[in-house]
Amino acid sequence: MIVAHALAGEVDVLAFDIFGTVVDWHGSIVRELAQLQPQVDGDAFARAWRAGYQPAMARVMSGELGWTLIDDLHRIILDGILPQFGLEALDEEARRHLNRAWHRLDPWPEAVAGLQRLKRKYILCSLSNGNLGLLTRMAKRAGLPWDCVLSAEVFRAYKPDPATYLGVARVFDLPPARVMLVAAHHDDLAGARACGLRTAYVERPLEFGAGHVKDVTARPDNDMHTKGLEDLAGQLGC
Protein backbone atom coordinates (compact mmCIF):
# COMPACT_ATOMS: atom_id res chain seq x y z
CA MET A 1 0.00 0.00 0.00
CA ILE A 2 1.31 3.47 -0.92
CA VAL A 3 1.47 5.81 2.07
CA ALA A 4 0.71 9.42 1.16
CA HIS A 5 3.14 12.18 2.07
CA ALA A 6 2.51 13.91 5.40
CA LEU A 7 1.51 17.08 3.54
CA ALA A 8 -1.29 15.34 1.64
CA GLY A 9 -3.86 16.66 4.09
CA GLU A 10 -2.10 19.91 4.88
CA VAL A 11 -2.46 21.84 1.61
CA ASP A 12 -5.52 22.89 -0.38
CA VAL A 13 -4.08 24.61 -3.45
CA LEU A 14 -1.30 23.50 -5.77
CA ALA A 15 0.15 26.38 -7.77
CA PHE A 16 2.28 25.38 -10.75
CA ASP A 17 5.17 27.04 -12.46
CA ILE A 18 4.59 26.42 -16.17
CA PHE A 19 7.62 26.87 -18.45
CA GLY A 20 9.83 23.84 -17.93
CA THR A 21 7.71 22.39 -15.12
CA VAL A 22 4.45 21.56 -16.89
CA VAL A 23 5.39 22.19 -20.51
CA ASP A 24 8.51 21.43 -22.53
CA TRP A 25 9.49 24.85 -23.87
CA HIS A 26 12.80 23.69 -25.36
CA GLY A 27 11.47 20.70 -27.28
CA SER A 28 8.44 22.67 -28.44
CA ILE A 29 10.48 25.58 -29.80
CA VAL A 30 12.84 23.15 -31.53
CA ARG A 31 9.85 21.50 -33.23
CA GLU A 32 8.44 24.87 -34.28
CA LEU A 33 11.75 25.86 -35.86
CA ALA A 34 12.01 22.53 -37.66
CA GLN A 35 8.66 23.25 -39.30
CA LEU A 36 9.14 26.94 -40.00
CA GLN A 37 12.88 27.34 -40.57
CA PRO A 38 14.45 23.86 -40.89
CA GLN A 39 17.87 25.27 -41.74
CA VAL A 40 18.16 26.89 -38.28
CA ASP A 41 19.78 25.16 -35.29
CA GLY A 42 16.62 24.79 -33.21
CA ASP A 43 18.45 23.81 -30.03
CA ALA A 44 20.63 26.93 -30.09
CA PHE A 45 17.69 29.13 -31.09
CA ALA A 46 15.46 27.86 -28.26
CA ARG A 47 18.17 28.36 -25.66
CA ALA A 48 19.04 31.83 -26.96
CA TRP A 49 15.41 32.89 -26.84
CA ARG A 50 15.00 31.59 -23.30
CA ALA A 51 18.30 33.13 -22.20
CA GLY A 52 16.84 36.57 -22.85
CA TYR A 53 13.93 35.96 -20.48
CA GLN A 54 15.49 36.90 -17.13
CA PRO A 55 17.37 39.96 -18.48
CA ALA A 56 14.17 41.22 -20.13
CA MET A 57 12.19 40.88 -16.89
CA ALA A 58 15.02 42.63 -15.05
CA ARG A 59 14.52 45.66 -17.30
CA VAL A 60 10.92 45.86 -16.10
CA MET A 61 11.74 45.25 -12.44
CA SER A 62 14.41 47.95 -12.53
CA GLY A 63 11.98 50.48 -14.00
CA GLU A 64 13.78 50.75 -17.33
CA LEU A 65 10.61 49.39 -18.94
CA GLY A 66 7.07 49.83 -17.70
CA TRP A 67 4.91 46.82 -16.87
CA THR A 68 5.23 44.52 -19.88
CA LEU A 69 3.46 41.27 -20.73
CA ILE A 70 5.65 38.23 -21.33
CA ASP A 71 4.26 38.00 -24.88
CA ASP A 72 5.76 41.43 -25.52
CA LEU A 73 9.04 40.59 -23.80
CA HIS A 74 9.28 37.41 -25.88
CA ARG A 75 8.84 39.54 -28.99
CA ILE A 76 11.57 41.98 -27.93
CA ILE A 77 13.93 39.05 -27.34
CA LEU A 78 12.92 37.41 -30.62
CA ASP A 79 13.60 40.53 -32.67
CA GLY A 80 16.99 40.78 -31.00
CA ILE A 81 18.13 37.22 -31.75
CA LEU A 82 16.80 36.81 -35.31
CA PRO A 83 19.93 38.33 -36.93
CA GLN A 84 22.13 35.85 -35.02
CA PHE A 85 20.38 33.03 -36.90
CA GLY A 86 20.12 34.68 -40.30
CA LEU A 87 16.41 35.38 -39.91
CA GLU A 88 16.38 39.16 -39.92
CA ALA A 89 14.33 39.13 -43.15
CA LEU A 90 11.30 37.52 -41.48
CA ASP A 91 8.24 39.69 -42.08
CA GLU A 92 5.82 40.85 -39.41
CA GLU A 93 3.33 38.03 -39.96
CA ALA A 94 6.05 35.39 -39.62
CA ARG A 95 7.48 37.04 -36.51
CA ARG A 96 4.07 37.23 -34.88
CA HIS A 97 3.38 33.57 -35.65
CA LEU A 98 6.77 32.50 -34.31
CA ASN A 99 6.31 34.56 -31.15
CA ARG A 100 3.02 32.75 -30.54
CA ALA A 101 4.98 29.48 -30.37
CA TRP A 102 5.00 30.06 -26.61
CA HIS A 103 1.20 29.62 -26.69
CA ARG A 104 1.65 26.24 -28.39
CA LEU A 105 4.10 24.57 -26.01
CA ASP A 106 3.52 20.85 -25.52
CA PRO A 107 3.15 19.38 -22.03
CA TRP A 108 5.61 16.88 -20.67
CA PRO A 109 4.37 13.33 -21.39
CA GLU A 110 2.94 12.63 -17.92
CA ALA A 111 1.81 16.15 -17.08
CA VAL A 112 -1.84 16.11 -18.14
CA ALA A 113 -2.57 12.73 -16.55
CA GLY A 114 -0.84 13.84 -13.35
CA LEU A 115 -2.83 17.08 -13.22
CA GLN A 116 -6.08 15.23 -13.78
CA ARG A 117 -5.33 12.98 -10.83
CA LEU A 118 -4.34 15.88 -8.61
CA LYS A 119 -7.47 17.82 -9.53
CA ARG A 120 -9.65 15.19 -7.84
CA LYS A 121 -8.36 16.34 -4.46
CA TYR A 122 -6.75 19.76 -4.83
CA ILE A 123 -7.44 23.14 -6.38
CA LEU A 124 -5.00 23.55 -9.27
CA CYS A 125 -3.83 26.88 -10.63
CA SER A 126 -1.00 28.18 -12.74
CA LEU A 127 1.44 30.65 -11.21
CA SER A 128 3.57 31.77 -14.11
CA ASN A 129 5.22 34.91 -15.35
CA GLY A 130 3.43 34.17 -18.62
CA ASN A 131 0.50 36.46 -19.31
CA LEU A 132 -3.15 35.42 -19.08
CA GLY A 133 -3.77 35.17 -22.82
CA LEU A 134 -0.69 33.01 -23.32
CA LEU A 135 -1.51 30.69 -20.41
CA THR A 136 -5.17 30.33 -21.36
CA ARG A 137 -4.44 29.49 -25.00
CA MET A 138 -1.71 27.07 -23.92
CA ALA A 139 -4.08 25.32 -21.51
CA LYS A 140 -6.82 25.09 -24.13
CA ARG A 141 -4.51 23.52 -26.70
CA ALA A 142 -2.66 21.20 -24.35
CA GLY A 143 -5.62 20.12 -22.21
CA LEU A 144 -4.20 21.47 -18.95
CA PRO A 145 -7.09 21.17 -16.47
CA TRP A 146 -6.61 24.28 -14.33
CA ASP A 147 -9.30 25.33 -11.89
CA CYS A 148 -7.93 28.86 -12.15
CA VAL A 149 -5.35 30.61 -14.33
CA LEU A 150 -3.18 32.94 -12.28
CA SER A 151 -0.32 34.92 -13.71
CA ALA A 152 2.16 37.64 -12.92
CA GLU A 153 -0.22 39.80 -14.93
CA VAL A 154 -2.85 39.47 -12.18
CA PHE A 155 -0.45 40.77 -9.54
CA ARG A 156 1.56 43.08 -11.84
CA ALA A 157 4.72 41.54 -10.47
CA TYR A 158 7.02 38.82 -11.76
CA LYS A 159 8.16 35.90 -9.65
CA PRO A 160 10.03 35.86 -7.31
CA ASP A 161 8.27 39.00 -6.06
CA PRO A 162 6.40 38.03 -2.87
CA ALA A 163 3.25 39.59 -4.32
CA THR A 164 2.92 36.61 -6.65
CA TYR A 165 3.17 33.83 -4.06
CA LEU A 166 1.19 35.63 -1.39
CA GLY A 167 -1.30 36.62 -4.07
CA VAL A 168 -2.28 33.00 -4.58
CA ALA A 169 -3.00 32.58 -0.87
CA ARG A 170 -5.02 35.80 -0.92
CA VAL A 171 -7.07 34.76 -3.97
CA PHE A 172 -8.14 31.57 -2.20
CA ASP A 173 -8.37 33.16 1.27
CA LEU A 174 -5.84 30.73 2.73
CA PRO A 175 -2.77 31.00 4.93
CA PRO A 176 0.37 30.60 2.78
CA ALA A 177 1.14 27.21 4.34
CA ARG A 178 -2.03 25.78 2.77
CA VAL A 179 -0.61 26.55 -0.70
CA MET A 180 2.13 24.52 -2.37
CA LEU A 181 4.24 25.77 -5.27
CA VAL A 182 5.19 23.03 -7.72
CA ALA A 183 8.20 23.92 -9.85
CA ALA A 184 11.31 22.60 -11.58
CA HIS A 185 13.38 25.63 -10.53
CA HIS A 186 14.98 26.02 -7.13
CA ASP A 187 15.03 29.83 -7.23
CA ASP A 188 11.25 29.89 -7.74
CA LEU A 189 10.74 27.43 -4.89
CA ALA A 190 13.03 29.47 -2.62
CA GLY A 191 10.93 32.56 -3.29
CA ALA A 192 7.74 30.69 -2.41
CA ARG A 193 9.28 29.16 0.69
CA ALA A 194 10.35 32.59 1.94
CA CYS A 195 6.68 33.59 1.81
CA GLY A 196 5.57 30.59 3.84
CA LEU A 197 4.34 28.37 1.00
CA ARG A 198 5.05 24.66 0.83
CA THR A 199 7.27 23.53 -2.03
CA ALA A 200 7.51 20.52 -4.34
CA TYR A 201 10.40 20.14 -6.75
CA VAL A 202 9.80 18.39 -10.08
CA GLU A 203 12.69 16.73 -11.89
CA ARG A 204 12.97 17.96 -15.48
CA PRO A 205 16.48 16.90 -16.49
CA LEU A 206 15.81 17.57 -20.18
CA GLU A 207 14.40 21.08 -19.75
CA PHE A 208 17.25 22.51 -21.85
CA GLY A 209 17.41 19.56 -24.24
CA ALA A 210 19.20 16.23 -24.31
CA GLY A 211 22.53 17.95 -24.97
CA HIS A 212 22.28 20.05 -21.80
CA VAL A 213 21.06 17.73 -19.05
CA LYS A 214 20.13 19.59 -15.89
CA ASP A 215 21.18 18.58 -12.37
CA VAL A 216 18.01 17.48 -10.58
CA THR A 217 19.56 16.39 -7.30
CA ALA A 218 17.16 16.60 -4.36
CA ARG A 219 17.59 19.51 -1.98
CA PRO A 220 16.49 19.25 1.64
CA ASP A 221 14.93 22.73 1.70
CA ASN A 222 11.98 21.53 -0.39
CA ASP A 223 9.06 19.78 1.28
CA MET A 224 8.77 17.28 -1.56
CA HIS A 225 10.90 15.95 -4.41
CA THR A 226 9.19 14.30 -7.37
CA LYS A 227 10.09 12.73 -10.68
CA GLY A 228 7.05 14.19 -12.43
CA LEU A 229 3.42 15.11 -11.93
CA GLU A 230 2.21 11.51 -11.84
CA ASP A 231 4.73 10.93 -9.05
CA LEU A 232 3.48 14.05 -7.28
CA ALA A 233 -0.09 12.77 -7.54
CA GLY A 234 0.93 9.45 -6.03
CA GLN A 235 2.82 11.07 -3.18
CA LEU A 236 -0.15 13.33 -2.41
CA GLY A 237 -2.58 10.44 -2.26
CA CYS A 238 -4.36 10.95 -5.55
Side-chain angles (χ1 to χ4, degrees):
M1 185 177 76
I2 298 175
V3 178
H5 192 280
L7 286 178
E10 299 297 320
V11 295
D12 301 299
V13 174
L14 304 178
F16 290 79
D17 172 65
I18 302 300
F19 301 122
T21 301
V22 177
V23 297
D24 175 12
W25 61 264
H26 179 275
S28 300
I29 298 298
V30 169
R31 287 189 287 276
E32 290 270 348
L33 262 292
Q35 294 171 2
L36 301 173
Q37 300 289 334
Q39 78 283 7
V40 174
D41 181 345
D43 168 65
F45 189 92
R47 289 185 294 109
W49 204 351
R50 184 65 172 176
Y53 182 67
Q54 291 292 342
M57 287 193 298
R59 293 178 64 193
V60 176
M61 291 185 283
S62 72
E64 179 186 345
L65 292 176
W67 175 254
T68 308
L69 299 182
I70 290 297
D71 268 342
D72 296 327
L73 290 184
H74 278 155
R75 177 59 190 269
I76 292 170
I77 303 163
L78 175 64
D79 288 341
I81 67 170
L82 287 177
Q84 300 173 34
F85 295 90
L87 298 175
E88 60 270 25
L90 282 186
D91 62 21
E92 175 59 27
E93 182 178 355
R95 291 179 187 224
R96 180 176 172 80
H97 176 75
L98 183 53
N99 199 53
R100 286 288 186 94
W102 294 92
H103 296 206
R104 301 187 292 271
L105 302 183
D106 294 327
W108 293 106
E110 90 302 333
V112 173
L115 291 172
Q116 289 170 340
R117 288 173 59 188
L118 288 161
K119 186 169 179 168
R120 298 171 196 159
K121 186 173 180 179
Y122 301 95
I123 294 171
L124 306 187
C125 70
S126 58
L127 182 60
S128 171
N129 287 329
N131 47 286
L132 290 169
L134 182 161
L135 294 172
T136 302
R137 290 190 178 99
M138 177 196 293
K140 187 74 170 176
R141 176 183 177 276
L144 305 176
W146 306 126
D147 292 303
C148 179
V149 175
L150 293 179
S151 155
E153 183 181 355
V154 174
F155 309 113
R156 294 184 71 83
Y158 300 131
K159 295 185 295 179
D161 191 303
T164 58
Y165 308 115
L166 294 176
V168 177
R170 187 176 69 251
V171 164
F172 293 107
D173 192 23
L174 291 170
R178 301 293 301 186
V179 179
M180 176 179 281
L181 180 71
V182 182
H185 310 109
H186 289 295
D187 56 347
D188 197 0
L189 294 168
R193 193 163 48 249
C195 293
L197 276 66
R198 304 292 193 168
T199 56
Y201 181 74
V202 181
E203 293 184 5
R204 296 299 185 199
L206 301 182
E207 179 180 357
F208 295 90
H212 313 275
V213 177
K214 189 170 77 170
D215 180 7
V216 294
T217 304
R219 296 189 185 180
D221 289 343
N222 294 315
D223 293 297
M224 298 180 66
H225 183 95
T226 76
K227 294 189 177 298
L229 301 190
E230 289 259 42
D231 184 28
L232 178 64
Q235 290 193 44
L236 287 176
C238 298

